[in-house]
């Protein structure tokens, strides 16, 4: 048997090798195609990207033709460099730099030499293209924006880099890819499928027709159109209201989780990131480290939520059965929670029950409710974990799963948070009392605030916020149709909603109502600190407002966050009322309020921070320069001393 084993293995191996060779040489013509690649020229046909529409069918993003000059370095012959450079208005140095880059990519494969020519440049080059062997025109399409808003929603398209090419074989040098917004999130749907043509060439490098009669050719498939949940008019109106302000506006349809508007301020016209000036314009936006127009505050900014968080404090207290609608606390201008420790309140004082506690935003009421929720358990660690578990069911402290490529978790403190802050233990519920009013360690993004209000509008459930409404010929992700239920019993939402309605009737927003619409909302003012030159500096408070409307059968839930805007009812509140009326009625009747908000600028507040920041940077630079001068002087003195010693010797 052993004598047969070795010959048997040799025979089996030989059969396998022969079979493989037969397959590769006779059956698999793909290998033959690759082996003949030197005599075959591959041309790509690029499809148009899918169009983008708003929820009402309005076209937002279309396409416009663009032309790239491609180069195959090995094929360049008898080139009149001077004429070529003059035609394209580039220098000889620039020509050589671009050609060297193409050679590094591949001497045999095409790559972009000069991208995104306009129609006039294309026509001029096309006339003389035959004179420039090794160069040819590749037609592509660029985005053509029908609106000047929504840059953070759309994102932009740009050329792929080497990292993308190495990661995904679909992309070749010069290909375009979506970045940020829906362009990135739905790239594979919007881009379509490029076509490929294999052209056979003779020994003189002349094209003689399609290879194998086009057997391996494919046609380009246009990208699928998509419809967004965005209301273009509401988006446009929100961006106009946020002019000369910083912050975000997020509106959600409660029954579906569809995002009606996603405003970040400041923003920019998406059209400036199209064409030959795209790179220069992007660099300007990127380098603006003060206003940060590329920073999507609606999704990325993590703020202390302030008084709107009291809504969750109330719901957690009701669920834990430590308060009810008849529970009352005496407010005497604030809440004392230790020797020398006092949380001030501006509600006017008196006995506060749930409804008026919400309506008047009484710090004392919610501090007591929070302490009872924590102290109900044997240790504050157990209490704070139960409390945070309730809030987590609202989508807090985690990525929400929406269909945009950027976002932040916010921060929802647990016992682990305070184990890090107090490693020696010994902390009590009073040490974390600031959480009760949305300060402390709690952080939320504006979209989390809007989703919180959508959940309350639904009396206890929400759908994952999303921006896609329809994809042509394809269903949207099932997760956007999945209901998420909170841990709060639905019966506890009714008294809280009544309290939110009282905010507009007798509370902190009594002057912000909209005729004919019963609204529920909550003002918020969050303290604002910045570290400048190593010191913690208090700046003007942030203005916050959250709402939904109508009270029954809600159509919109909204969160407005205005940096350095002061009290919640000062700027964020009026903007909220205008946005709600615009969406529900289709027009705004309070023209005085509208004019005030359109013309309201907070640039003077931002300039204060900028001056402080610049001054601090200048002081740091002066100190560094001073230290460097001292070091240089010491070094110079040392050299002189060494020279003197050497001379004396």
């Amino acid at each position: 048997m052993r004598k047969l084993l070795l010959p048997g293995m040799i025979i089996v191996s030989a059969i396998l090798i022969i079979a493989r060779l037969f397959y590769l040489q006779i059956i698999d013509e793909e290998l033959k195609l690759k082996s003949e690649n030197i005599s075959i020229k591959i041309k790509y046909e690029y499809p148009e990207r899918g169009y983008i529409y708003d929820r009402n069918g309005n076209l937002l993003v279309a396409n416009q033709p663009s032309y790239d000059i491609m180069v195959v370095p090995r094929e360049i012959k008898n080139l009149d460099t001077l004429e070529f450079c003059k035609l394209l208005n580039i220098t000889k140095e620039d020509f050589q730099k671009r050609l060297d880059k193409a050679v590094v990519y591949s001497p045999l494969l095409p790559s972009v030499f000069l991208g995104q020519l306009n129609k006039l440049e294309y026509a001029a080059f096309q006339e003389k293209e035959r004179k420039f062997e090794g160069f040819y025109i590749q037609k592509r399409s660029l985005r053509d924006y029908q609106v000047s808003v929504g840059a953070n929603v759309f994102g932009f398209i740009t050329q792929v880099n080497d990292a993308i090419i190495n990661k995904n074989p679909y992309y070749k040098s010069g290909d375009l890819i979506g970045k940020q917004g829906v362009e990135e999130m739905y790239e594979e749907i919007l881009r379509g499928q490029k076509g490929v043509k294999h052209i056979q060439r003779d020994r003189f490098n002349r094209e003689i027709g399609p290879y194998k009669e086009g057997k391996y050719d494919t046609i380009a498939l246009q990208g699928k159109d998509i419809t967004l949940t965005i209301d273009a008019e509401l988006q446009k109106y929100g961006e106009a209201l946020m002019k000369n302000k910083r912050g975000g506006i997020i509106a959600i349809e409660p029954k579906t989780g569809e995002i009606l508007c996603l405003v970040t301020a400041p923003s920019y016209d998406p059209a400036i990131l199209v064409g030959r000036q795209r790179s220069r314009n992007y660099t300007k936006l990127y380098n603006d480290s003060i206003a940060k127009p590329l920073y999507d505050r609606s999704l990325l900014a993590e703020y202390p939520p302030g008084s709107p968080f009291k809504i969750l404090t109330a719901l957690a207290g009701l669920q834990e059965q430590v308060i009810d609608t008849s529970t009352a606390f005496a407010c005497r201008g604030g809440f004392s929670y230790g020797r020398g420790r006092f949380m001030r309140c501006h509600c006017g004082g008196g006995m506060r029950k749930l409804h008026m506690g919400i309506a008047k935003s009484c710090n004392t009421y919610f501090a007591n409710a929070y302490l009872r929720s924590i102290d109900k358990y044997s240790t504050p660690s157990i209490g704070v974990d139960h409390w945070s578990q309730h809030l987590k069911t609202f989508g807090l402290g985690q990525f929400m799963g929406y269909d945009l490529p950027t976002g932040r978790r916010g921060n929802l403190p647990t016992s682990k948070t305070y184990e890090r802050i107090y490693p020696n233990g010994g902390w009590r519920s009073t040490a974390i009392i600031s959480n009760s009013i949305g300060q402390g360690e709690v952080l939320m993004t504006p979209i989390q605030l809007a989703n919180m209000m959508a959940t309350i509008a639904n009396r206890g459930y929400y759908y994952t916020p999303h921006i896609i409404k329809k994809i042509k010929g394809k269903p949207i992700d099932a997760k956007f149709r999945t209901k998420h239920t909170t841990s709060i019993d639905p019966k506890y939402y009714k008294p809280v909603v009544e309290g939110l309605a009282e905010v507009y009737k007798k509370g902190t927003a009594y002057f912000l109502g909209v005729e004919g619409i019963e609204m529920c909302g909550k003002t918020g003012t969050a303290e604002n600190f910045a570290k400048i030159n190593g010191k913690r500096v208090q700046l003007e408070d942030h203005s916050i407002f959250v709402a939904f409307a109508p009270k029954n059968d809600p159509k919109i839930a909204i969160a407005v966050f205005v940096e350095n805007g002061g009290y919640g009812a000062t700027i964020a509140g009026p903007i909220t009322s205008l946005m709600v009326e615009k969406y529900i009625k289709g027009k705004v009747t309070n023209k005085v309020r509208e004019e005030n908000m359109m013309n309201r600028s907070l640039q003077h507040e931002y300039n204060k921070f900028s001056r402080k920041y610049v001054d601090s940077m200048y002081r740091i630079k002066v100190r560094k320069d001073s230290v460097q001068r001292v070091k240089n002087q010491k070094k110079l003195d040392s050299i002189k001393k060494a020279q003197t010693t050497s001379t004396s010797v």
Side-chain angles (χ1 to χ4, degrees):
M1 189 69 180
R2 287 185 179 180
K3 292 180 180 180
L4 297 175
L5 181 61
L6 183 59
M9 291 176 63
I10 294 172
I11 293 169
V12 170
S13 299
I15 292 172
L16 290 174
I17 292 170
I18 292 169
R20 181 62 178 165
L21 288 172
F22 177 80
Y23 173 78
L24 292 174
Q25 293 183 11
I26 307 300
I27 299 175
D28 186 9
E29 294 196 6
E30 288 290 334
L31 185 65
K32 188 177 180 182
L33 176 62
K34 291 175 183 177
S35 69
E36 296 178 358
N37 195 43
I38 296 174
S39 63
I40 297 171
K41 182 178 181 179
I42 296 177
K43 284 187 176 181
Y44 292 104
E45 182 182 351
Y46 289 88
E48 284 196 6
R49 287 179 78 85
Y51 284 23
I52 301 176
Y53 297 86
D54 85 337
R55 67 186 296 108
N56 299 311
N58 298 310
L59 180 61
L60 303 177
V61 186
N63 297 305
Q64 56 182 309
S66 172
Y67 309 92
D68 292 347
I69 296 180
M70 308 294 289
V71 61
V72 182
R74 184 67 65 84
E75 297 179 4
I76 297 176
K77 295 177 183 177
N78 305 320
L79 179 66
D80 186 338
T81 308
L82 187 63
E83 182 184 9
F84 185 86
C85 292
K86 187 176 180 181
L87 182 65
L88 295 176
N89 195 26
I90 60 175
T91 64
K92 192 172 181 180
E93 291 76 15
D94 194 24
F95 169 86
Q96 194 60 50
K97 183 179 177 182
R98 292 173 183 272
L99 186 59
D100 290 343
K101 185 179 178 181
V103 171
V104 170
Y105 173 71
S106 173
L108 297 172
L109 296 176
S111 59
V112 176
F113 179 83
L114 189 63
Q116 301 182 6
L117 274 66
N118 58 38
K119 291 180 180 179
L120 293 177
E121 292 170 327
Y122 162 68
F125 183 82
Q126 191 182 37
E127 281 185 21
K128 300 184 177 183
E129 184 179 352
R130 56 185 171 76
K131 297 175 64 175
F132 307 127
E133 286 190 70
F135 294 88
Y136 68 93
I137 290 287
Q138 176 69 68
K139 184 180 178 181
R140 305 182 198 270
S141 63
L142 297 179
R143 282 315 205 181
D144 184 15
Y145 295 98
Q146 310 300 303
V147 292
S148 59
V149 298
N152 63 310
V153 174
F154 305 136
F156 55 90
I157 58 173
T158 185
Q159 283 191 14
V160 295
N161 54 33
D162 291 341
I164 295 172
I165 293 171
N166 293 333
K167 185 178 179 181
N168 191 334
Y170 173 85
Y171 296 101
K172 308 297 179 186
S173 177
D175 284 4
L176 301 174
I177 191 172
K179 284 289 183 183
Q180 300 182 10
V182 295
E183 294 281 17
E184 179 176 338
M185 199 69 194
Y186 292 99
E187 162 68 9
E188 292 188 12
I189 290 169
L190 288 168
R191 78 183 182 196
Q193 190 73 26
K194 60 188 173 187
V196 182
K197 289 184 178 180
H198 300 84
I199 310 297
Q200 193 162 7
R201 299 181 290 193
D202 62 16
R203 61 192 181 93
F204 299 107
N205 205 33
R206 295 175 301 195
E207 295 183 5
I208 58 175
Y211 176 76
K212 292 283 185 180
E213 299 181 347
K215 179 179 179 180
Y216 299 105
D217 294 351
T218 59
I219 61 171
L221 300 176
Q222 184 172 345
K224 290 182 170 64
D225 297 342
I226 65 173
T227 299
L228 303 183
T229 61
I230 293 292
D231 183 309
E233 284 301 312
L234 192 66
Q235 179 79 21
K236 181 180 178 181
Y237 191 61
E239 292 197 19
L241 289 170
M242 289 297 289
K243 187 178 179 181
N244 293 318
K245 307 173 188 72
R246 294 177 190 168
I249 304 175
I250 302 87
I252 296 173
E253 185 178 67
K255 290 180 181 178
T256 61
E258 294 179 356
I259 299 172
L260 302 172
C261 76
L262 191 71
V263 174
T264 183
S267 188
Y268 58 92
D269 185 342
I272 69 173
L273 295 186
V274 176
R276 296 274 289 278
Q277 299 301 312
R278 191 205 75 81
S279 182
R280 183 180 299 175
N281 291 334
Y282 181 84
T283 301
K284 287 181 181 178
L285 295 172
Y286 181 82
N287 289 334
D288 187 350
S289 59
I290 302 297
K292 299 180 180 178
L294 290 175
Y295 182 71
D296 193 336
R297 286 169 164 84
S298 59
L299 302 176
L300 291 170
E302 296 170 303
Y303 303 102
S307 291
F309 195 78
K310 294 173 181 175
I311 304 168
L312 299 180
T313 301
L315 287 169
L318 290 167
Q319 182 64 34
E320 291 293 324
Q321 298 182 357
V322 295
I323 59 170
D324 57 31
T325 54
S326 62
T327 304
F329 299 105
C331 180
R332 298 181 178 86
F335 178 72
S336 178
Y337 57 98
R339 185 179 298 175
R341 296 182 178 182
F342 189 74
M343 181 190 290
R344 287 191 301 168
C345 182
H346 304 284
C347 75
M351 295 300 295
R352 296 295 183 206
K353 294 183 180 181
L354 179 61
H355 286 185
M356 293 311 294
I358 294 173
K360 296 291 186 180
S361 197
C362 178
N363 287 347
T364 300
Y365 182 90
F366 294 101
N368 276 291
Y370 180 73
L371 287 184
R372 287 190 176 189
S373 297
I374 305 300
D375 293 339
K376 172 183 175 181
Y377 295 91
S378 57
T379 67
S381 293
I382 297 173
V384 79
D385 282 342
H386 275 83
W387 168 81
S388 63
Q389 280 300 319
H390 286 309
L391 273 54
K392 192 175 182 181
T393 63
F394 286 81
L396 274 60
Q398 57 195 304
F399 292 114
M400 301 187 67
Y402 47 72
D403 52 340
L404 287 163
T406 190
R408 292 280 175 82
R409 294 173 182 269
N411 187 55
L412 185 59
T414 64
S415 60
K416 291 182 179 178
T417 307
Y418 299 110
E419 286 169 7
R420 290 193 298 268
I421 297 174
Y422 303 97
N424 297 323
W427 59 278
R428 301 179 181 179
S429 55
T430 52
I432 58 174
I433 193 67
S434 295
N435 290 336
S436 65
I437 58 171
Q439 298 285 164
E441 286 68 49
V442 177
L443 295 174
M444 291 175 67
T445 60
I447 194 170
Q448 287 176 328
L449 276 169
N451 188 62
M452 176 190 80
M453 290 310 288
T455 307
I456 294 162
N458 290 332
R459 278 62 166 178
Y461 70 89
Y462 70 91
Y463 292 94
T464 300
H466 53 283
I467 208 159
I468 193 73
K469 188 173 180 69
K470 186 169 59 176
I471 301 171
K472 189 175 181 180
K474 185 177 180 180
I476 66 171
D477 197 317
K479 73 177 183 179
F480 300 133
R481 301 189 299 273
T482 303
K483 183 186 289 189
H484 303 277
T485 306
T486 70
S487 62
I488 309 298
D489 193 305
K491 68 182 179 182
Y492 293 126
Y493 285 91
K494 184 177 180 180
V496 169
V497 169
E498 293 298 332
L500 294 172
E502 289 292 321
V503 170
Y504 282 96
K505 297 173 183 177
K506 302 177 183 177
T508 53
Y510 70 91
F511 55 93
L512 293 176
V514 177
E515 187 176 351
I517 302 175
E518 188 174 12
M519 295 175 62
C520 298
K522 185 74 190 73
T523 53
T525 307
E527 291 184 341
N528 175 26
F529 294 90
K531 187 169 281 189
I532 300 176
N533 198 21
K535 295 181 179 179
R536 191 167 182 258
V537 178
Q538 184 165 11
L539 304 173
E540 186 67 32
D541 293 340
H542 295 318
S543 179
I544 312 166
F545 205 98
V546 295
F548 65 83
K551 175 185 171 184
N552 299 311
D553 192 23
K555 301 291 190 300
I556 182 174
I558 186 169
V560 177
F561 202 109
V562 182
E563 294 182 7
N564 305 80
Y567 291 116
T570 304
I571 296 182
I575 289 175
T576 301
S577 296
L578 291 167
M579 291 288 288
V580 169
E581 185 177 21
K582 177 73 172 177
Y583 182 70
I584 293 179
K585 292 184 176 181
K587 61 180 181 179
V588 171
T589 55
N590 193 329
K591 295 298 181 181
V592 174
R593 178 183 290 163
E594 182 180 58
E595 186 178 354
N596 286 340
M597 289 301 104
M598 289 287 186
N599 297 329
R600 187 68 177 268
S601 173
L602 294 177
Q603 198 57 52
H604 61 285
E605 288 294 336
Y606 307 135
N607 290 340
K608 288 179 187 176
F609 172 75
S610 298
R611 283 195 295 271
K612 289 178 181 179
Y613 178 78
V614 170
D615 288 346
S616 71
M617 292 298 101
Y618 175 75
R619 286 194 296 272
I620 291 171
K621 185 178 184 302
V622 167
R623 278 203 305 274
K624 286 182 177 179
D625 290 347
S626 178
V627 170
Q628 191 61 47
R629 280 196 300 272
V630 171
K631 286 181 178 179
N632 291 342
Q633 188 61 47
K634 286 181 178 179
K635 189 175 182 180
L636 186 61
D637 292 344
S638 177
I639 293 170
K640 286 180 178 179
K641 185 177 180 180
Q643 289 174 342
T644 304
T645 305
S646 176
T647 304
S648 62
V649 172

